[in-house]
Amino acid sequence: MNFDTQTPMALYKANLDLMLRIAALMQQSRRDWLEAGTRSAGDSISRTLGEADRAIAAGDWNTLVTLPAEAWWQGLQRGVGDLQNVAENALGNQARFAEGIRQALADWQQRCTEALQTAGANSQAGNALQDLLNTFAAFRVPTAAATPGPAAPEAAAEKPKPGRK
């Protein structure tokens, strides 16, 4: 009896490649977040040292007394920009991650399809696997443009709590 060993090996390699690519994408995502956090901490330390230098350089009590209020207002103004940068970084990181996952899944699907076609997937098991792959063909990773709309008015209305009328 002659068993096909190439098809299972090709499918195994496709699955292993998918797992490795997802692990690499996760590692890159963690690296991106670490770099963003390191940059943010460095900026914060630089600002704090600058404010300390201003306090040391203050020549009179009036200047020294106004430093905390000035620092608070400057921090508040910078906070808006910092928050916007964090949001932009988060969206960019997630978009790159989602695109990488989408590409990895598309490549995995292609490799599995090729392996099954090479094997002459005329058997019942081959047809079932091909049907499964066709199901995955309909899968699409949503893009950043596909954001949910506002909640329906019924969902936004407060529901009565048990025991209250």
Side-chain angles (χ1 to χ4, degrees):
M1 186 177 257
N2 189 7
F3 290 106
D4 174 22
T5 59
Q6 295 303 313
T7 302
M9 179 60 78
L11 293 173
Y12 178 78
K13 286 181 177 181
N15 288 335
L16 184 59
D17 182 58
L18 177 64
M19 288 188 300
L20 292 173
R21 286 180 67 182
I22 290 173
L25 287 167
M26 291 172 62
Q27 183 179 16
Q28 182 60 46
S29 181
R30 286 190 301 266
R31 189 177 298 122
D32 291 344
W33 279 107
L34 181 62
E35 288 172 2
T38 301
R39 234 183 353 263
S40 177
D43 293 346
S44 179
I45 290 169
S46 295
R47 283 193 299 264
T48 301
L49 290 175
E51 291 167 6
D53 287 344
R54 285 183 47 209
I56 290 171
D60 61 358
W61 284 107
N62 288 334
T63 304
L64 193 58
V65 168
T66 61
L67 286 178
E70 289 174 12
W72 184 80
W73 279 109
Q74 289 172 356
L76 185 62
Q77 291 168 347
R78 270 191 313 268
V80 172
D82 291 346
L83 184 58
Q84 183 177 1
N85 287 338
V86 166
E88 288 172 0
N89 281 337
L91 288 174
N93 289 345
Q94 287 305 107
R96 282 189 300 278
F97 182 76
E99 177 57 26
I101 291 289
R102 189 203 61 75
Q103 185 62 47
L105 287 172
D107 291 347
W108 170 82
Q109 179 185 8
Q110 180 64 33
R111 288 181 69 184
C112 289
T113 300
E114 288 171 1
L116 291 174
Q117 288 172 346
T118 301
N122 293 329
S123 67
Q124 188 177 16
N127 290 335
L129 284 173
Q130 189 62 45
D131 290 343
L132 178 65
L133 289 173
N134 290 338
T135 302
F136 279 118
F139 175 73
R140 298 283 183 251
V141 176
T143 62
T147 56
E154 302 82 33
E158 183 179 324
K159 295 180 182 178
K161 294 183 170 117
R164 287 178 60 190
K165 290 187 181 184

